[in-house]
Amino acid sequence: MRNERDMTTNSAFRTPHSALEVSFTLNGTPTTVSVPDSERLLDTLRYRLGLTGAKEGCAEGECGACTVWLDGLPANSCLVPIYQVRGRRVNTVEALDPAAVAPLLDAGATQCGACTPGVVMTALWILQHPDVLATHTVRELMAGNLCRCTGYDGIVDGIEAARP
Amino acid sequence: MKRGPPSTGAAVQRREGLAKLTGRERYVDDLPLEDFLWGMTVRSPPPSPRGSITAIRFGRDVDWSQFVVVDHRDLPGPNVVYLIEQDQPVLAAGVVRHVHEPVLLLAHPDRDALRRAVHAVEVVVEPEAPVLDFRLPSRSDEIQYGPDNVLKHLRIEKGDVARALAQAPVVVEGEYETGAQEHVYLETQGMIAALEGEVLVIRGSMQCPYYVLNALKHALARDETRLRVIQTPTGGGFGGKEEFPSHLALHAALLALKAGRAVKMIYDRGEDMAATTKRHPARVRHRTGLTRDGRLLAQDIEVLLDGGAYVTLSPVVLSRGLIHAAGPYFCENVRIDGRAVFTNAVPFGAFRGFGAPQTLFACERHMDVIARTLGMDPALLRRVNLIRDGQSTATGQVINDGSDRVAVLERALDVSGWREKRRAHAAFNAARAPVRRGLGLATFYHGGGFTGGGEVYLKSRLQVAGLPDGRIEVRSANIEMGQGTLTVFTQIAADRLGLAPDAVVIAEADTARVPNSGPTVASRTTMVVGRLVERACDDLRRRLGLSESARGDSVRAALRDWHRAHPDQSLVGEVVYEKPPGINWDDATYRGDAYGAFAWAAYVAEVEVDLRTCAVRVTDFVAVQDIGKVINEILARGQVQGGVVQGIGWALMEECKWQDGAMVNNQLTNYIIPTSDDVPPIRVAFLETPYPHGAQGAKGLGELPIDGPAPAILNAIAEATGADPRTIPLTPERLMTIAEFGMRNAE
């Protein structure tokens, strides 16, 4: 089957590229990095800037474990080439107010925690944009973040409890 | 000031929860690491699952002098990953038995250069005849294990099945199949190996630090004083990090030893899904004798598991599968015959439920087939046959735990609205709309802890240390992977000594610091190891010279006094597992008390089936179980909800596509697991009949919830459509091919 890839082809055809200087606003702070031009935002955050909250769960935009906010919108950072971030705003889980996650903790929204930073980024975005709840359910809005532990009830209940 | 509040049953918050929610928890790939190499694996390629390696060619475009290269000749000790049987090599040496078998290891500072190098190695395999369908008998040129490729054959016998079947007024037969399932822990397998002086230190994602230690000790021929294994926060396991991490730890260790530098290996999702273990595919046949009013007279059950290309844990998976195969019912005549057969598939291994989900799927789907044959209500059929106290299981274990299994069933029927909804659905379906509704039931059980004499053999040890500041430290090898060990152990220890939860420290699972309290598997952590926590707390209190009733302030004061009197000494309560009295198992005859305790459950699924698309939607799910004692309700409920959703995935959508004995849909784009929008809220209720030998009365819980969803859902689909599905995953494509369904659909 053509759409089914060889097991290690993820990035297999990357070739060395020249370094690229990229400036963007990271969690409110102007930031400049010099990186290979093929690098993904996820790798820049994790391996160059030490922001390891975002995780690689699938590297193809399915699981949402790498979710960050790009110009205020949730985005899979595994699918964002670093050059696309030039001049934009990136917010990561590390910059969140810990008090905002209390309802999620109370509801049992985290178990193993590997999906959790991504879940939190989407969940808090929903809570900051309650207008989307007029047209979509929490379950629809969270469907881009896979969780294998909770069965989603803890996540959905936590968001519902925190709704304004 | 509130002092030492009893935390029993209270919703104490997950201890590491805030760190996880704020992204501060450091998993293995998040740890700061200086001056290290990335490690990767060169694997045997498709299309030859079985054969001899005739050449390994290194591409000319790579400067190989920059790479650390390891093959099987670099092993200081025997080339086996230590487990039940010593048959699986650390690295293939001349022959391969499955696709994706590890052949070479490479390390390099640059991950992209390493990826290109892996693809520049060509492993040439001269093929031999593989076994790829476990259901077919092997031809002579396919035999690779014993006389018939059977890895393990087990039999459970009770009464006289042949005679009872011959005399039974009704005999119902059925054949059921279950597919492989991928764990999809969100954190892929990962490991770091580094030499710290003379000590080889392994840090990584794992369920069983001492399994990893044992594997290193054997294959590296290195004594335990020069080995140390530290579990890092583990992003999901579900059994997938029971035996496999031993392989990855050995690979990282070999590279680190050869390189003289730290090596980090993190699988990407594609490699993780293609090359690591999965749930064993199974075929189960039932032949059941009954009275006309539905009483079980004889159960003749045949279980066949695909064992994959190495033994791994298949014999014990088979064992647990067989012991659960007859269901939570009383029957005087039972024969369960099971085999795990060798194939050239990527090895199968531990997965939540460990054989029981496969056999309980067959049993519970078969119960509904029986009910339909007899024209009987499926709930009544189960109520008639559920085991009562004083009656015995297939292995002859007399159940006497005081649990009311009929009450569990009744509660599930009540909460789900079984009777009213069945009537309403019949009326709804009679209108012949394109969408049909159905309700399905499964009653089942799951044994907690190791099977038979397993817990005795483990000899688990655990310590509770008294610290100078009045706190205590629980030292166990049982790990947190999301299921709540840190929180539950905290509650158990705090309750036992009357301390506040924050006066309890849980030691890192580091083999240099904690004794071997056994693996974090088999639903044993709360029930069995939690009981060791209680007993070690008692031992600590004894060492302090306190009475059995001493709690709270008196314990804290005694700890401080002891340390003032014994400066620089350590105070440690320590216990070893002791078999509860009256539990006896005979491994030779497979008779006796298979488990210390069973948890009991009844699950009800409601579905809507769209006859046009064959899409199935689970619209309601009720999960009722008696687990002895709920220690933390939020955590317990989360275990059930997560297990049920994993079960919904296995039942309806998670299909491993196979080619040459390897999974080819090894990515989350086309191996579909449930999203939040695919599942309904999971409604959970607990009954509590305490088990006297479990911590606070608890029985095992972690695996139970994945046993029930698949049969309940298929029973609901059968009720909704009149179809008779026997195989999971029941994808829309598969449902569409079922003949009866097609006929009804065409009406």
Side-chain angles (χ1 to χ4, degrees), chain B residues 654-692:
Chain B
E654 296 182 29
E655 176 150 46
C656 295
K657 299 269 192 190
W658 297 99
Q659 200 172 297
D660 308 316
M663 181 184 188
V664 290
N665 55 332
N666 54 323
Q667 55 186 126
L668 292 180
T669 297
N670 48 20
Y671 181 82
I672 306 299
I673 68 169
T675 72
S676 53
D677 199 31
D678 295 323
V679 294
I682 309 303
R683 300 196 283 150
V684 180
F686 294 108
L687 280 73
E688 297 180 289
T689 311
Y691 168 54

Side-chain angles (χ1 to χ4, degrees), chain B residues 223-277:
Chain B
D223 63 85
E224 281 183 35
T225 61
R226 293 187 302 148
L227 290 168
R228 180 176 177 188
V229 178
I230 304 168
Q231 180 252 356
T232 51
T234 296
F238 313 111
K241 292 170 184 171
E242 177 170 352
E243 73 273 33
F244 193 85
S246 297
H247 295 250
L248 192 53
L250 277 163
H251 291 171
L254 288 167
L255 283 169
L257 289 171
K258 190 152 183 178
R261 287 167 76 180
V263 169
K264 172 154 93 169
M265 298 184 77
I266 307 288
Y267 285 176
D268 67 19
R269 183 63 63 184
E271 181 171 18
D272 197 296
M273 293 178 93
T276 73
T277 55

Side-chain angles (χ1 to χ4, degrees), chain B residues 497-572:
Chain B
L497 294 174
L499 302 173
D502 62 9
V504 180
V505 181
I506 309 293
E508 190 175 38
D510 170 354
T511 58
R513 286 209 66 226
V514 300
N516 186 357
S517 56
T520 307
V521 304
S523 308
R524 67 186 291 277
T525 303
T526 299
M527 171 176 135
V528 177
V529 188
R531 177 69 190 135
L532 297 179
V533 173
E534 290 184 334
R535 288 181 44 223
C537 286
D538 295 348
D539 188 53
L540 179 67
R541 188 159 31 202
R542 260 193 303 278
R543 287 168 196 263
L544 288 166
L546 296 172
S547 75
E548 279 178 32
S549 59
R551 290 169 56 81
D553 287 341
S554 60
V555 174
R556 275 191 296 276
L559 284 170
R560 293 198 182 97
D561 291 346
W562 190 95
H563 279 284
R564 268 194 291 274
H566 306 83
D568 302 323
Q569 291 184 42
S570 58
L571 171 66
V572 180

Side-chain angles (χ1 to χ4, degrees), chain A residues 3-4 6-8 14 46-47 55 57 60 62 106 110-113 139 142-143 148-149 152-153, chain B residues 13-14 20 27 29-30 43 100 116 119 182-183 269 634 638 642 654 664 667-669 674 676 682:
Chain A
N3 64 334
E4 290 166 351
D6 174 58
M7 53 188 259
T8 50
R14 280 187 199 166
R46 290 182 50 81
Y47 300 124
K55 313 293 182 208
E60 56 181 355
E62 282 290 332
D106 292 341
T110 183
Q111 287 189 27
C112 88
R139 284 185 180 271
M142 288 306 302
R148 195 58 156 169
C149 296
Y152 302 104
D153 283 297
Chain B
Q13 279 184 337
R14 175 178 288 278
K20 285 176 170 172
Y27 300 80
D29 192 27
D30 305 336
R43 299 179 179 278
H100 304 320
R116 289 191 297 277
H119 282 264
E182 162 58 32
H183 304 86
R269 183 63 63 184
I634 286 180
E654 296 182 29
V664 290
Q667 55 186 126
L668 292 180
T669 297
S676 53
I682 309 303

Side-chain angles (χ1 to χ4, degrees), chain B residues 275-353:
Chain B
T276 73
T277 55
K278 323 222 169 307
R279 185 186 301 289
H280 293 73
R283 185 191 69 196
V284 182
R285 289 176 171 150
H286 276 258
R287 213 166 149 238
T288 310
L290 303 113
T291 62
R292 293 200 189 282
D293 57 359
R295 196 166 291 279
L296 290 169
L297 297 174
Q299 293 172 285
D300 191 7
I301 305 167
E302 185 192 307
V303 178
L304 189 64
L305 292 186
D306 185 341
Y310 292 102
V311 172
T312 66
L313 296 167
S314 300
V316 268
V317 171
L318 179 69
S319 163
R320 185 176 280 270
L322 294 198
I323 290 167
H324 288 78
Y329 307 112
F330 174 67
C331 182
E332 281 187 30
N333 304 288
V334 184
R335 178 170 59 204
I336 308 167
D337 189 88
R339 287 172 296 150
V341 299
F342 182 95
T343 63
N344 294 99
V346 176
F348 299 98
F351 194 144
R352 188 182 209 167

Side-chain angles (χ1 to χ4, degrees), chain B residues 42-59 92-99 101 103-104 118-128:
Chain B
V42 176
R43 299 179 179 278
S44 62
S48 306
R50 177 191 180 199
S52 307
I53 298 173
T54 53
I56 297 174
R57 300 189 186 119
F58 291 81
V95 296
V96 293
R97 304 181 97 171
H98 64 85
V99 167
E101 189 149 356
V103 178
L104 295 180
V118 165
H119 282 264
V121 181
E122 186 190 0
V123 177
V124 182
V125 177
E126 175 71 29
E128 294 175 69

Side-chain angles (χ1 to χ4, degrees), chain B residues 262-498:
Chain B
V263 169
K264 172 154 93 169
M265 298 184 77
I266 307 288
Y267 285 176
D268 67 19
R269 183 63 63 184
E271 181 171 18
D272 197 296
M273 293 178 93
T276 73
T277 55
K278 323 222 169 307
R279 185 186 301 289
H280 293 73
R283 185 191 69 196
V284 182
R285 289 176 171 150
H286 276 258
R287 213 166 149 238
T288 310
L290 303 113
T291 62
R292 293 200 189 282
D293 57 359
R295 196 166 291 279
L296 290 169
L297 297 174
Q299 293 172 285
D300 191 7
I301 305 167
E302 185 192 307
V303 178
L304 189 64
L305 292 186
D306 185 341
Y310 292 102
V311 172
T312 66
L313 296 167
S314 300
V316 268
V317 171
L318 179 69
S319 163
R320 185 176 280 270
L322 294 198
I323 290 167
H324 288 78
Y329 307 112
F330 174 67
C331 182
E332 281 187 30
N333 304 288
V334 184
R335 178 170 59 204
I336 308 167
D337 189 88
R339 287 172 296 150
V341 299
F342 182 95
T343 63
N344 294 99
V346 176
F348 299 98
F351 194 144
R352 188 182 209 167
F354 211 72
Q358 292 94 316
T359 59
L360 281 166
F361 166 73
C363 176
E364 284 305 289
R365 181 70 197 102
H366 188 60
M367 286 300 274
D368 266 40
V369 169
I370 290 170
R372 185 179 281 186
T373 307
L374 296 175
M376 193 170 172
D377 175 58
L380 178 61
L381 176 67
R382 288 171 171 88
R383 190 182 301 109
V384 165
N385 289 293
L386 278 172
I387 197 164
R388 267 60 168 187
D389 268 13
Q391 294 179 327
S392 64
T393 66
T395 64
Q397 176 166 3
V398 178
I399 300 297
N400 236 329
D401 63 2
S403 179
D404 186 342
R405 285 157 288 276
V406 174
V408 173
L409 169 61
E410 290 298 337
R411 184 76 178 277
L413 299 179
D414 284 349
V415 174
S416 65
W418 174 267
R419 292 168 187 89
E420 311 80 70
K421 276 189 172 174
R422 295 265 292 187
R423 273 196 298 275
H425 291 162
F428 179 87
N429 293 340
R432 298 196 131 17
V435 171
R436 303 290 164 87
R437 293 179 182 158
L439 214 54
L441 169 67
T443 48
F444 56 100
Y445 60 163
H446 201 95
F450 266 34
T451 303
E455 291 292 341
V456 175
Y457 173 78
L458 279 175
K459 293 191 185 67
S460 299
R461 286 170 54 228
L462 185 138
Q463 297 173 345
V464 173
L467 306 179
D469 61 5
R471 294 184 302 163
I472 58 170
E473 183 183 61
V474 178
R475 296 174 184 165
S476 97
N478 291 93
I479 61 91
E480 174 69 51
M481 53 180 158
Q483 85 286 37
T485 301
L486 299 179
T487 310
V488 168
F489 279 6
T490 296
Q491 283 184 234
I492 291 170
D495 284 1
R496 198 68 174 183
L497 294 174

